[in-house]
Amino acid sequence: MRTLRMGMVGGGPGSFIGRIHRLAAELDGDAELVCGAFSSDAKRSQEAGQAYRLDASRVYASYRQMMEAEKALSADQRMDYVAVVTPNHVHYEPARLALQGGFHVVVDKPLSFSLEEAQSLHEIVKHTGQLLAVTYAYSGYPMVKQARALIAQGAVGTVRKIFIEYTQGWLSTELEKSGHKQASWRTDPTRSGAGGAIGDIGTHAAHLAEYVSGRRITHLNALINTYVPGRRLDDDSSLLLRFDNGATGVLVATQVAAGEENNLVIRVYGEQGGLEWSQLEPNSLIQRSPDKPMQVWRAGSNYLGGAAAANTRTPPGHPEGYLEAFANIYTAFHNAINARSTNGAAAGELDFPGIADGVRGMAFIETALRSAHSSEKWTEFV
Amino acid sequence: MRTLRMGMVGGGPGSFIGRIHRLAAELDGDAELVCGAFSSDAKRSQEAGQAYRLDASRVYASYRQMMEAEKALSADQRMDYVAVVTPNHVHYEPARLALQGGFHVVVDKPLSFSLEEAQSLHEIVKHTGQLLAVTYAYSGYPMVKQARALIAQGAVGTVRKIFIEYTQGWLSTELEKSGHKQASWRTDPTRSGAGGAIGDIGTHAAHLAEYVSGRRITHLNALINTYVPGRRLDDDSSLLLRFDNGATGVLVATQVAAGEENNLVIRVYGEQGGLEWSQLEPNSLIQRSPDKPMQVWRAGSNYLGGAAAANTRTPPGHPEGYLEAFANIYTAFHNAINARSTNGAAAGELDFPGIADGVRGMAFIETALRSAHSSEKWTEFV
Amino acid sequence: MRTLRMGMVGGGPGSFIGRIHRLAAELDGDAELVCGAFSSDAKRSQEAGQAYRLDASRVYASYRQMMEAEKALSADQRMDYVAVVTPNHVHYEPARLALQGGFHVVVDKPLSFSLEEAQSLHEIVKHTGQLLAVTYAYSGYPMVKQARALIAQGAVGTVRKIFIEYTQGWLSTELEKSGHKQASWRTDPTRSGAGGAIGDIGTHAAHLAEYVSGRRITHLNALINTYVPGRRLDDDSSLLLRFDNGATGVLVATQVAAGEENNLVIRVYGEQGGLEWSQLEPNSLIQRSPDKPMQVWRAGSNYLGGAAAANTRTPPGHPEGYLEAFANIYTAFHNAINARSTNGAAAGELDFPGIADGVRGMAFIETALRSAHSSEKWTEFV
Amino acid sequence: MRTLRMGMVGGGPGSFIGRIHRLAAELDGDAELVCGAFSSDAKRSQEAGQAYRLDASRVYASYRQMMEAEKALSADQRMDYVAVVTPNHVHYEPARLALQGGFHVVVDKPLSFSLEEAQSLHEIVKHTGQLLAVTYAYSGYPMVKQARALIAQGAVGTVRKIFIEYTQGWLSTELEKSGHKQASWRTDPTRSGAGGAIGDIGTHAAHLAEYVSGRRITHLNALINTYVPGRRLDDDSSLLLRFDNGATGVLVATQVAAGEENNLVIRVYGEQGGLEWSQLEPNSLIQRSPDKPMQVWRAGSNYLGGAAAANTRTPPGHPEGYLEAFANIYTAFHNAINARSTNGAAAGELDFPGIADGVRGMAFIETALRSAHSSEKWTEFV
């Protein structure tokens, strides 16, 4: 396999997620960042390109320019795919141009600024046949894969209860007024879209709940708040959930749980037992069963299933973390690209969150907000 | 102080909570079980009395008989108070008789079979001036006292979020059909009252949420389910909550989280930080704050506040548990009784859940069920 | 069964362990404190008796007086056994008098001031036929019983490694100079005996290592230190251990691990897996095995063995602690007394640390100190 | 800064640590693998080179050939440094050739086959002035850096006790007879050198103990065993330690703790408190102090010191693991190389384990084995 060539839109100085994308994409040596339009400010874009040690000729002043220039390069030079790591309001246009320009695309979550944009991208993906990944990175953790596999195998029986909580505290104060770049755009409806916490982390939670349990949310009953005075988007949410098989649950996504770092926990209970996974200790998966000792499955162990094993780099007792999980999304995406040039011959794991997941995430935001504004108890989530 | 004399209604063979009440009441040597009507079957009552090593003459065939007989004893012989540990449908009548007979009363939670009974007891308490305690035992843990004190002192700032979860798995199957005495009455609407899980453990959760946070629930939005086919009462509930100061939260009380033992966790977040306490590791209290290391307060430590200290028997590192917490409720109740004979001279901790808490618990059940049956999102909880 | 009558030597104002003994002895209602010589100061002894609500006529000014007076009482009045809870230098004489006076005896650990005293008590026990218990309380925890049972059943295979650590921090400073009663006598060679930390907590550790593993230490290699300047006894020790089956291990007993509360952890590894138990979270027992998930056994669960079950009072998820473990020692001791009056008919658990364990503890102190002063690597421990 | 060019000796098919080195070296984009002699079998070396996507012309059949060929390349082509990731008996010669050939060197731990080789390398390093790093990777964790910094700042006062334990279970059975490549050479004295577990993981433990505490071991008292029958090297060790300032401690390094993964824990106690860090939960650092709540320092937090911050890539709550820690060693090594071309201008963290640490590790093995064979209690460790 040759090394895939990656381009990047966004990720300039001060970006948190741009650096993560590059680390993740390059982690296994399957891909290499070769070009980027890192900022809408040409000078800042060049600064970022230098920090990434790119050839100045491949650092662009705009994503439009990048798409054009890269298309003009020879097939053995031009980028294979683009990672879009800008704020949400600049997801759609670069993704569209890239797909239509013949490039595959990775988009940071949530997929877009609005549900409409997401649906439009879905059409474009269908039409162009290009690949698109959305980095719901938490689904890349090996023990999340193991949880999903155990549930699919019936290890807990028919699922009854799904609890997912994503608690952060970093927006407990009016951080957006202090010049904090992340806080600034994530609380700005003109850049983030209609959702604050519900979009930024609620979509992670909703995706993980469905991914692990294998069930789909059908109705939700949302309480969405803005606690910090003056903030223009929500910073806190709690939802009651109904799933397609009769299971019910709770989703919490808050950014005002002061003192919490990035505490994502999922628990799924079925008729015969339950599973619990916490992102803060991602290498363990707890299984509880009536009438026998609690079991703790550990990453890297030889007793794990194929998906967990394929998403692990180190032996048991050598902890992996967030970057590795993020990289697992990229690995599957890279494999899918490579599979195209091998006529589909198996190339390892191919399971990554795609366009359908991205659209569903945007629908989740839209439905949750609709529910929050409704006096009806339940709102259908199609 | 003399040793107080305790009588018991219920707690015969097969009872779990009767034995706990006796252990708790006697733990510190402040009281002694002297009489009881342990079963409505005279023979079984005598068997229980023997197991408790009581004088046969103080073992009664009915609580009515007990009230009469004890009243007839001399003041230095007759019981000081009665613990009512029967199923819910037999709370009201013995409590009423006892109060009207001049005895103080302890009632296991929830206070009664119905809200109406609870309100009637409230009137009787007011009228007789006797003391009544309801054993919301989890509020007796020293680190719960510490959490309450820290929040009251402003350690987390104005409270914004309150999450309380009480998950059990023991009713995941149709245990009530197997002759299991506890399961049998707790799932029977003619003995438990209108609430299943929402009454049995939801009331604990609601009490703890208000007790620790110092805030009152004003509205709730309940999803209440019965998962086990054929069961006649609910076994699962999730509620969104609104509190009197604008805080919001989630309450979960389920008995079908298969594999869970008795997992009660409370987390309260304010503008400046948060607290977390878990009943499964009750000797620790976690405090999170932005910008500084997480702190773990430990039971028995010399830096704890007065309420925590007064409710601890052992030095740090010598774990205390459920019995000790339960006993703390009794200790405060005993102190309150003793304070009467000392003209109110301070006699230690006097903080125990009383009649108002009991009534509120019954109102919680009634309101939660009303909300669950309503298509309105929010139901007021007065 | 009638309620056994307990007397106490020591345990006056300021005593920590006296109160624990009373709570533990009375916890299940099997025994009742009826008399005591709580202090060598008659006034303080009466004060303590009052606090314990004893009849003043049964509160004595000395243990000699108590033995004489109690012997003179009728059989249905006099105490059945004596708990000796004084500092170590006052263990031997009251224990001797009690045994020779026809009373059973409980002695707080370590058994005596010196190995010689211990051996003499052993002779007296043999000669009188009375029962003697030594409160190595940590062996009373249900999950310790479970660990012992699992190892005896071969759950980890042939034992190879035994690690036991008992770390405390309370003697990190010169607390004995501040009037702290516990620190004062425990660091005083005229009251504690030859061992400081090695006697106070090292003996607990040594007992637990042998109790859980079922193996006996045969050789030890000790490093014993006094870290706090001016202290007259050791406050820190680390020992390499050899066991009778070829297993080896490490024992740590230190009271200068500043900030530690009472952190006792045991880990035993055999050819096929390992067990870990920590006193700070006593209701869990971790089992590790190659090639399968870690298992966590939980107190109160229905899958536990008989000994664990018999030493548990509450259902799973209702934590028990130190007092309950301590009480388990008393329960077995009470059962053994009662078994005498039933011609040995089974009366429940009979497993408690006895005179042989007490003597072995004193031999451990003596051998460890001998090793510490030797330039030879290994010292035999008979 | 330009991207540094890395060569590799060893790391062919079946190697665990070779892949780790590549991932770690390339993680931040500071270096790139450009050539290698991955196996002494030319065909397997080419296979590995292909897997690493190297140009076939830069894949060599032997390290000798590699050194010669790379030296012959132009300065802007040839490798900057070599990572030696072969079994221990093939560390010295490639390291020597590389250093003398003008290349910097990274050697996997332990530095060499024997102490003599290590001392010789020390001379060569001094003479050539080239840089050499030894991958004691655990010292690269940010919370290890934080622990070291806190102790250096006096956060626990004068250090008294140092406990370090490294327990693994993977060699509990005769794995080396099953064709397991790692087990095979690590238990073979002709490839590993004189030490088994004491060399493979004992050196990690000794390094970490000294690195974190800032103290040096002066004497040790070792018990070293071989538990698996037929094994030719030790698989288990426990050592009592004395440090240069009067502190004492215990070091455990065992590979027969059946069921353990890779459990490395360090605890350091001083006069005023203690620190605990566990590699299995590497993003937390526990600080215990008398008279105040336990504190848990968390990776990524803004309150951490410079060294911890400089060795972290993600915000709090986004766990980092083993690869990231390993990469931190490489980052500091890369910085040190780069600093040479900037005339020493500061280039970030420069703290990595070097030749002196490597030599000390080999001396540790030699001294521990000498102590184990001695009947003297203490052996000096110079």
Side-chain angles (χ1 to χ4, degrees):
Chain A
M1 281 306 150
R2 68 177 178 81
T3 303
L4 295 171
R5 292 179 295 274
M6 176 200 203
M8 186 175 281
V9 175
S15 164
F16 147 58
I17 207 68
R19 191 177 175 219
I20 299 291
H21 275 263
R22 194 197 62 79
L23 284 165
E26 295 190 351
L27 187 68
D28 297 306
D30 298 335
E32 190 183 3
L33 181 67
V34 297
C35 65
F38 301 105
S39 171
S40 53
D41 172 331
K43 188 147 163 280
R44 288 169 65 86
S45 189
Q46 278 296 347
E47 277 167 23
Q50 241 177 319
Y52 289 138
R53 300 171 202 224
L54 298 190
D55 189 309
S57 70
R58 302 288 287 276
V59 180
Y60 304 99
S62 78
Y63 58 82
R64 283 173 205 285
Q65 189 193 347
M66 179 167 98
M67 303 300 168
E68 292 311 310
E70 290 288 319
K71 273 194 286 187
L73 292 175
S74 65
D76 66 343
Q77 287 282 316
R78 70 168 166 256
M79 65 181 181
D80 292 291
Y81 71 90
V82 182
V84 179
V85 302
T86 42
N88 305 343
H89 68 310
V90 194
H91 281 190
Y92 176 76
E93 195 62 14
R96 179 184 73 79
L97 288 174
L99 292 166
Q100 290 173 343
F103 303 110
H104 304 294
V105 172
V106 175
V107 189
D108 200 66
K109 46 53 53 186
L111 175 57
S112 52
F113 183 77
S114 67
L115 176 55
E116 291 66 33
E117 284 184 359
Q119 287 162 336
S120 169
L121 282 177
H122 202 171
E123 289 307 309
I124 297 167
V125 165
K126 279 187 211 160
H127 187 260
T128 60
Q130 298 302 107
L131 293 165
L132 184 147
V134 183
T135 48
Y136 287 123
Y138 300 111
S139 66
Y141 273 108
M143 299 319 280
V144 167
K145 305 282 185 191
Q146 182 69 20
R148 174 177 161 89
L150 284 171
I151 288 171
Q153 292 156 22
V156 302
T158 300
V159 170
R160 283 173 170 166
K161 298 298 303 178
I162 300 169
F163 299 104
I164 182 116
E165 296 182 321
Y166 198 152
T167 47
Q168 297 181 331
W170 70 293
L171 288 178
S172 292
T173 58
E174 219 179 5
L175 193 58
E176 61 267 41
K177 298 291 164 60
S178 70
H180 187 285
K181 185 176 170 174
Q182 295 299 318
S184 169
W185 77 258
R186 287 177 204 267
T187 61
D188 176 358
T190 69
R191 287 181 282 170
S192 239
I198 194 72
D200 191 24
I201 61 175
T203 49
H204 271 303
H207 179 261
L208 200 65
E210 295 192 340
Y211 183 74
V212 168
S213 70
R215 309 299 349 163
R216 279 172 80 86
I217 303 167
T218 59
H219 297 78
L220 45 81
N221 172 348
L223 166 62
I224 299 188
N225 305 297
T226 301
Y227 271 107
V228 172
R231 181 160 290 160
R232 291 180 292 158
L233 287 173
D234 64 278
D235 49 25
D236 172 71
S237 55
S238 307
L239 295 85
L240 303 180
L241 306 175
R242 284 186 177 160
F243 291 85
D244 55 2
N245 73 332
T248 54
V250 179
L251 184 154
V252 169
T254 184
Q255 297 180 313
V256 297
E260 289 285 358
E261 298 173 344
N262 190 50
N263 195 356
L264 173 62
V265 178
I266 183 165
R267 285 170 297 145
V268 178
Y269 299 95
E271 294 182 357
Q272 284 135 46
L275 293 175
E276 176 174 349
W277 178 80
S278 167
Q279 198 261 154
L280 294 181
E281 296 187 19
N283 296 288
S284 291
L285 172 66
I286 296 170
Q287 182 175 10
R288 293 186 178 85
S289 307
D291 309 327
K292 58 181 189 179
M294 193 166 87
Q295 288 182 287
V296 184
W297 302 71
R298 294 276 303 155
S301 300
N302 57 9
Y303 52 72
L304 296 176
N311 284 280
T312 308
R313 288 163 189 78
T314 50
H318 297 73
E320 290 190 89
Y322 175 72
L323 285 177
E324 290 88 339
F326 213 110
N328 290 338
I329 306 291
Y330 267 97
T331 299
F333 177 70
H334 293 159
N335 289 344
I337 295 176
N338 289 329
R340 299 219 161 177
S341 43
T342 57
N343 297 314
E349 285 293 299
L350 296 170
D351 174 23
F352 62 86
I355 181 69
D357 300 283
V359 173
R360 191 155 174 80
M362 295 310 299
F364 172 77
I365 298 172
E366 191 271 345
T367 312
L369 289 169
R370 196 146 39 82
S371 170
H373 292 113
S374 166
S375 65
E376 284 293 303
K377 206 165 194 172
W378 293 101
T379 299
E380 195 176 1
F381 177 33
V382 185
Chain B
M1 282 306 148
R2 68 177 177 83
T3 304
L4 296 170
R5 291 179 296 274
M6 175 201 205
M8 186 176 281
V9 176
S15 162
F16 147 59
I17 206 69
R19 192 181 174 218
I20 299 291
H21 275 262
R22 194 196 62 79
L23 284 166
E26 294 190 351
L27 187 68
D28 297 306
D30 298 335
E32 187 183 4
L33 181 67
V34 297
C35 66
F38 301 106
S39 169
S40 53
D41 172 331
K43 192 150 160 277
R44 289 169 63 88
S45 189
Q46 278 297 344
E47 278 167 22
Q50 244 178 316
Y52 289 138
R53 303 173 200 220
L54 298 189
D55 189 309
S57 70
R58 303 287 286 278
V59 180
Y60 304 98
S62 77
Y63 59 81
R64 282 173 205 283
Q65 190 192 347
M66 180 167 96
M67 303 300 168
E68 291 310 310
E70 290 288 321
K71 272 194 285 188
L73 292 175
S74 65
D76 65 343
Q77 287 282 314
R78 68 168 167 257
M79 65 182 183
D80 293 291
Y81 71 89
V82 182
V84 179
V85 302
T86 42
N88 305 342
H89 68 310
V90 194
H91 282 188
Y92 176 76
E93 196 60 15
R96 181 185 71 80
L97 289 173
L99 292 166
Q100 290 173 343
F103 303 110
H104 305 295
V105 173
V106 174
V107 189
D108 200 68
K109 45 53 59 185
L111 176 57
S112 53
F113 183 78
S114 67
L115 176 56
E116 290 65 32
E117 284 184 359
Q119 288 163 336
S120 169
L121 283 177
H122 203 170
E123 290 307 308
I124 298 168
V125 165
K126 279 187 209 162
H127 188 258
T128 60
Q130 298 301 108
L131 293 165
L132 184 146
V134 183
T135 48
Y136 287 122
Y138 301 111
S139 65
Y141 275 107
M143 300 319 280
V144 166
K145 305 281 186 192
Q146 182 68 21
R148 176 177 161 87
L150 284 171
I151 289 171
Q153 292 157 22
V156 303
T158 300
V159 171
R160 284 173 171 167
K161 299 298 303 181
I162 301 169
F163 299 104
I164 181 114
E165 295 182 320
Y166 197 152
T167 48
Q168 296 182 331
W170 69 293
L171 287 178
S172 291
T173 59
E174 217 178 7
L175 194 59
E176 60 266 43
K177 298 292 163 63
S178 69
H180 187 285
K181 187 178 168 174
Q182 294 300 318
S184 170
W185 79 259
R186 287 178 203 266
T187 60
D188 177 357
T190 69
R191 287 181 282 171
S192 241
I198 194 73
D200 192 23
I201 61 175
T203 49
H204 271 302
H207 180 261
L208 200 64
E210 295 192 341
Y211 183 73
V212 168
S213 70
R215 310 300 347 165
R216 279 172 80 86
I217 304 168
T218 59
H219 297 79
L220 47 80
N221 171 348
L223 164 63
I224 300 189
N225 305 296
T226 302
Y227 270 107
V228 173
R231 183 160 290 160
R232 290 182 293 160
L233 287 174
D234 64 277
D235 49 23
D236 172 71
S237 55
S238 307
L239 296 84
L240 303 180
L241 306 175
R242 284 186 178 161
F243 291 84
D244 56 2
N245 73 331
T248 55
V250 179
L251 183 154
V252 168
T254 183
Q255 297 180 313
V256 297
E260 289 286 356
E261 298 174 342
N262 190 50
N263 196 356
L264 174 62
V265 178
I266 183 166
R267 285 170 296 146
V268 178
Y269 300 96
E271 295 181 357
Q272 284 135 46
L275 292 175
E276 176 173 350
W277 178 80
S278 167
Q279 198 260 155
L280 294 181
E281 296 186 20
N283 296 288
S284 291
L285 172 66
I286 296 169
Q287 182 176 9
R288 293 185 179 86
S289 307
D291 309 327
K292 58 181 189 178
M294 193 166 87
Q295 288 182 286
V296 184
W297 301 71
R298 296 275 304 155
S301 299
N302 58 7
Y303 52 71
L304 295 176
N311 284 280
T312 306
R313 287 162 190 81
T314 50
H318 296 75
E320 290 191 270
Y322 175 73
L323 285 176
E324 289 87 339
F326 214 110
N328 291 339
I329 307 290
Y330 267 97
T331 299
F333 177 71
H334 294 158
N335 289 344
I337 294 175
N338 289 329
R340 299 216 161 180
S341 44
T342 58
N343 296 315
E349 285 293 300
L350 295 171
D351 173 24
F352 62 87
I355 182 68
D357 300 282
V359 174
R360 188 153 175 81
M362 295 310 298
F364 172 76
I365 299 173
E366 193 269 345
T367 312
L369 290 169
R370 197 147 39 82
S371 169
H373 291 113
S374 166
S375 65
E376 284 293 304
K377 206 164 193 173
W378 293 100
T379 298
E380 195 176 1
F381 178 33
V382 185
Chain C
M1 281 306 148
R2 68 177 177 82
T3 303
L4 296 171
R5 292 179 294 274
M6 177 201 203
M8 187 176 281
V9 175
S15 163
F16 147 58
I17 207 68
R19 192 178 173 219
I20 299 290
H21 275 262
R22 195 198 61 80
L23 284 165
E26 295 191 350
L27 186 69
D28 297 305
D30 298 335
E32 189 183 3
L33 182 67
V34 296
C35 66
F38 302 105
S39 169
S40 52
D41 172 330
K43 191 149 161 279
R44 290 169 63 85
S45 189
Q46 278 297 346
E47 278 168 21
Q50 243 178 314
Y52 288 138
R53 302 173 199 218
L54 298 190
D55 189 308
S57 70
R58 302 289 285 278
V59 180
Y60 304 97
S62 77
Y63 58 81
R64 284 173 205 284
Q65 189 194 350
M66 178 166 97
M67 303 300 168
E68 291 311 310
E70 290 289 318
K71 272 194 287 189
L73 292 175
S74 66
D76 66 344
Q77 287 282 315
R78 70 169 164 254
M79 66 181 181
D80 293 290
Y81 70 91
V82 183
V84 179
V85 302
T86 41
N88 305 341
H89 69 308
V90 193
H91 282 190
Y92 176 76
E93 196 62 12
R96 180 184 72 78
L97 288 173
L99 291 166
Q100 289 172 345
F103 302 110
H104 305 294
V105 172
V106 174
V107 188
D108 200 68
K109 46 53 53 186
L111 176 56
S112 53
F113 184 77
S114 67
L115 177 56
E116 291 66 32
E117 284 184 359
Q119 287 162 337
S120 168
L121 282 177
H122 202 173
E123 290 307 309
I124 297 167
V125 165
K126 278 188 211 162
H127 188 257
T128 61
Q130 297 301 107
L131 293 165
L132 185 148
V134 183
T135 48
Y136 287 123
Y138 301 110
S139 65
Y141 274 108
M143 301 317 281
V144 166
K145 304 282 184 191
Q146 182 68 20
R148 174 177 161 89
L150 284 171
I151 288 170
Q153 293 156 22
V156 302
T158 301
V159 170
R160 283 172 170 166
K161 298 299 302 180
I162 301 168
F163 298 105
I164 181 116
E165 295 183 321
Y166 199 152
T167 47
Q168 297 182 331
W170 70 293
L171 288 178
S172 291
T173 58
E174 218 178 8
L175 193 58
E176 61 266 42
K177 298 292 164 62
S178 69
H180 187 286
K181 186 177 168 174
Q182 295 299 319
S184 169
W185 77 258
R186 287 178 204 266
T187 60
D188 176 357
T190 69
R191 288 181 282 170
S192 238
I198 194 75
D200 191 24
I201 61 174
T203 49
H204 270 304
H207 179 261
L208 199 64
E210 295 192 342
Y211 182 73
V212 168
S213 71
R215 311 298 348 164
R216 280 172 79 87
I217 304 167
T218 58
H219 296 79
L220 48 79
N221 171 349
L223 165 63
I224 299 187
N225 305 296
T226 301
Y227 271 107
V228 172
R231 183 160 288 159
R232 288 180 294 158
L233 286 174
D234 63 278
D235 49 25
D236 171 72
S237 54
S238 308
L239 295 84
L240 303 179
L241 306 175
R242 284 184 176 162
F243 291 84
D244 55 2
N245 74 333
T248 54
V250 179
L251 184 155
V252 168
T254 183
Q255 297 179 313
V256 295
E260 290 284 358
E261 298 173 343
N262 190 49
N263 196 355
L264 173 62
V265 178
I266 183 165
R267 285 172 296 146
V268 178
Y269 301 95
E271 295 182 358
Q272 284 134 45
L275 293 174
E276 176 172 349
W277 178 81
S278 168
Q279 199 263 153
L280 294 181
E281 297 186 18
N283 295 288
S284 291
L285 173 65
I286 296 169
Q287 183 176 6
R288 293 186 179 87
S289 307
D291 309 327
K292 58 180 188 179
M294 192 166 88
Q295 290 182 285
V296 183
W297 302 71
R298 294 277 303 158
S301 300
N302 58 8
Y303 52 71
L304 296 177
N311 284 281
T312 307
R313 286 162 190 80
T314 50
H318 297 73
E320 290 190 88
Y322 175 73
L323 284 177
E324 291 88 337
F326 213 110
N328 290 338
I329 307 289
Y330 267 98
T331 299
F333 177 70
H334 294 158
N335 288 345
I337 294 174
N338 288 330
R340 299 219 161 176
S341 45
T342 58
N343 296 314
E349 286 293 299
L350 297 170
D351 174 24
F352 62 85
I355 182 68
D357 300 283
V359 174
R360 188 152 175 83
M362 296 309 299
F364 172 77
I365 299 172
E366 190 270 346
T367 312
L369 289 169
R370 197 146 39 81
S371 170
H373 292 114
S374 166
S375 65
E376 283 295 303
K377 205 164 194 173
W378 293 100
T379 299
E380 195 175 1
F381 177 33
V382 185
Chain D
M1 282 304 151
R2 68 177 178 82
T3 304
L4 295 171
R5 291 179 295 274
M6 176 201 203
M8 187 176 281
V9 175
S15 163
F16 148 58
I17 207 68
R19 191 177 174 222
I20 300 290
H21 276 261
R22 194 196 62 80
L23 285 165
E26 294 190 352
L27 187 67
D28 296 306
D30 299 335
E32 189 184 4
L33 182 66
V34 297
C35 65
F38 301 104
S39 169
S40 53
D41 172 329
K43 189 146 162 281
R44 289 169 64 86
S45 188
Q46 278 297 345
E47 277 167 23
Q50 241 177 318
Y52 288 137
R53 303 173 200 219
L54 297 189
D55 189 309
S57 70
R58 303 286 286 275
V59 181
Y60 304 97
S62 77
Y63 58 81
R64 282 175 205 283
Q65 190 193 346
M66 178 166 98
M67 304 298 168
E68 291 311 311
E70 292 288 320
K71 273 193 287 186
L73 292 176
S74 66
D76 66 344
Q77 286 283 313
R78 69 168 166 255
M79 65 182 183
D80 293 291
Y81 70 90
V82 182
V84 179
V85 301
T86 42
N88 306 341
H89 68 308
V90 193
H91 281 190
Y92 176 75
E93 195 62 14
R96 179 184 72 78
L97 288 174
L99 292 167
Q100 290 174 344
F103 302 109
H104 304 294
V105 172
V106 175
V107 189
D108 200 67
K109 44 52 57 187
L111 176 58
S112 53
F113 184 78
S114 67
L115 177 56
E116 290 67 30
E117 284 184 359
Q119 288 162 335
S120 169
L121 283 177
H122 203 170
E123 290 307 309
I124 296 168
V125 165
K126 280 187 210 161
H127 188 258
T128 61
Q130 297 302 107
L131 293 165
L132 185 147
V134 182
T135 49
Y136 286 123
Y138 300 110
S139 66
Y141 274 107
M143 301 317 282
V144 167
K145 304 282 184 191
Q146 182 68 20
R148 174 177 161 90
L150 284 170
I151 289 171
Q153 292 156 20
V156 301
T158 300
V159 171
R160 283 172 171 167
K161 298 298 301 181
I162 301 169
F163 298 105
I164 181 116
E165 295 184 321
Y166 198 153
T167 47
Q168 298 182 330
W170 69 294
L171 288 178
S172 290
T173 59
E174 219 179 5
L175 193 59
E176 61 266 42
K177 297 293 164 62
S178 69
H180 187 287
K181 186 177 168 175
Q182 295 300 316
S184 170
W185 79 258
R186 287 178 204 266
T187 61
D188 176 357
T190 69
R191 287 181 283 172
S192 239
I198 194 73
D200 192 25
I201 60 175
T203 50
H204 271 303
H207 179 261
L208 200 64
E210 295 192 340
Y211 183 72
V212 168
S213 71
R215 310 300 346 163
R216 281 172 78 87
I217 304 167
T218 58
H219 296 79
L220 48 81
N221 171 349
L223 166 62
I224 299 188
N225 303 296
T226 301
Y227 270 107
V228 172
R231 182 160 290 161
R232 290 181 293 159
L233 287 174
D234 64 279
D235 49 25
D236 172 73
S237 54
S238 307
L239 295 84
L240 303 179
L241 306 174
R242 285 187 175 159
F243 290 83
D244 55 3
N245 73 332
T248 54
V250 178
L251 183 154
V252 168
T254 183
Q255 297 180 311
V256 297
E260 289 284 358
E261 298 173 344
N262 190 49
N263 196 356
L264 174 62
V265 179
I266 183 163
R267 286 171 296 147
V268 178
Y269 300 95
E271 294 182 358
Q272 284 135 46
L275 293 175
E276 176 173 349
W277 178 80
S278 167
Q279 199 263 154
L280 294 181
E281 296 186 18
N283 295 288
S284 292
L285 172 65
I286 297 169
Q287 181 176 10
R288 293 186 179 85
S289 307
D291 308 327
K292 59 180 188 177
M294 193 166 89
Q295 289 182 286
V296 183
W297 301 73
R298 295 276 302 156
S301 300
N302 58 7
Y303 52 72
L304 296 176
N311 284 280
T312 306
R313 287 163 190 79
T314 51
H318 296 73
E320 291 192 88
Y322 176 73
L323 284 177
E324 289 88 338
F326 213 109
N328 290 339
I329 306 291
Y330 267 97
T331 299
F333 177 70
H334 293 158
N335 289 345
I337 294 176
N338 289 328
R340 299 218 162 178
S341 43
T342 58
N343 297 316
E349 284 295 297
L350 297 170
D351 174 23
F352 62 85
I355 182 68
D357 300 283
V359 173
R360 188 150 175 85
M362 296 309 299
F364 173 76
I365 299 172
E366 191 268 346
T367 312
L369 289 169
R370 196 144 41 81
S371 170
H373 291 113
S374 165
S375 65
E376 284 293 305
K377 207 165 193 173
W378 292 100
T379 298
E380 196 176 1
F381 178 34
V382 185

